[in-house]
Amino acid sequence: MTQLEASITNSGDVIYRKAVVPDAPGMARLSAQLGYPADENGLAERLQYILTLPDHVILTAEYEGEVIGWIHAHARCSLESEPFAEIAGLIVDRKFRGQGIGRTLVKRCGEWTSSAAIGRLRVRMNVNRQDAVSFYEQMGFEPVKTQRVFDKSIRPRLK
């Protein structure tokens, strides 16, 4: 997969760029706004690792030196279907919603998807978040299926 060039693009006073590890506190703050509290240190560790993976992209929107939005997407490959990119997370600060920041982040994520020679961008969301459902539908995403997510804790092996 190709990597998105490290570019900084101004749109008004908002700067769109690749995420860096020092963004972790702002990214954690935003995660909490959507009900996903994230420990800053844990998020920083995951961010540092994910930034090394060529099939992932994490972009931020910054205003006056503060992270006000971020998007994370990654390539997905499986035997039964063509590769696609999936948005793993998108958050815009509640004070900045409705100003096109989320749309711009999704658009840039789509550009990364295209540059990686992937022909589909997918997102999964909680159907109870009607504002998110409407947002993605307005951006041209179409519902494909409804599914349930199951989770099971696995005790990691000690090395």
Side-chain angles (χ1 to χ4, degrees), residues 103 125-141 143:
R103 288 182 177 281
M125 74 197 79
N126 185 330
V127 295
N128 295 328
R129 293 192 184 269
Q130 190 54 50
D131 55 338
V133 172
S134 297
F135 170 80
Y136 286 110
E137 287 177 342
Q138 289 172 11
M139 295 222 38
F141 288 79

Side-chain angles (χ1 to χ4, degrees), residues 15-112:
I15 298 172
Y16 296 90
R17 60 174 174 75
K18 288 181 73 173
V20 292
V21 175
D23 292 329
M27 295 172 79
R29 177 184 56 80
L30 294 176
S31 291
Q33 281 189 9
L34 280 189
Y36 301 103
D39 171 71
E40 286 181 23
N41 293 329
L43 190 143
E45 287 178 15
R46 291 186 299 277
L47 179 60
Q48 185 171 19
Y49 172 69
I50 292 170
L51 290 173
T52 68
L53 303 174
D55 57 348
H56 286 250
V57 65
I58 303 174
L59 305 172
T60 62
E62 179 184 306
Y63 179 73
E64 295 184 349
E66 181 179 351
V67 175
I68 60 167
W70 60 264
I71 191 167
H72 171 207
H74 54 94
R76 298 279 312 262
C77 299
S78 64
L79 291 174
E80 74 278 2
S81 62
E82 294 293 320
F84 61 91
E86 182 168 276
I87 296 172
L90 168 64
I91 302 176
V92 174
D93 189 306
R94 66 174 55 100
K95 298 179 294 191
F96 293 90
R97 292 181 191 153
Q99 298 180 32
I101 294 164
R103 288 182 177 281
T104 301
L105 287 167
V106 171
K107 179 181 174 226
R108 294 182 192 281
C109 186
E111 292 167 358
W112 173 81

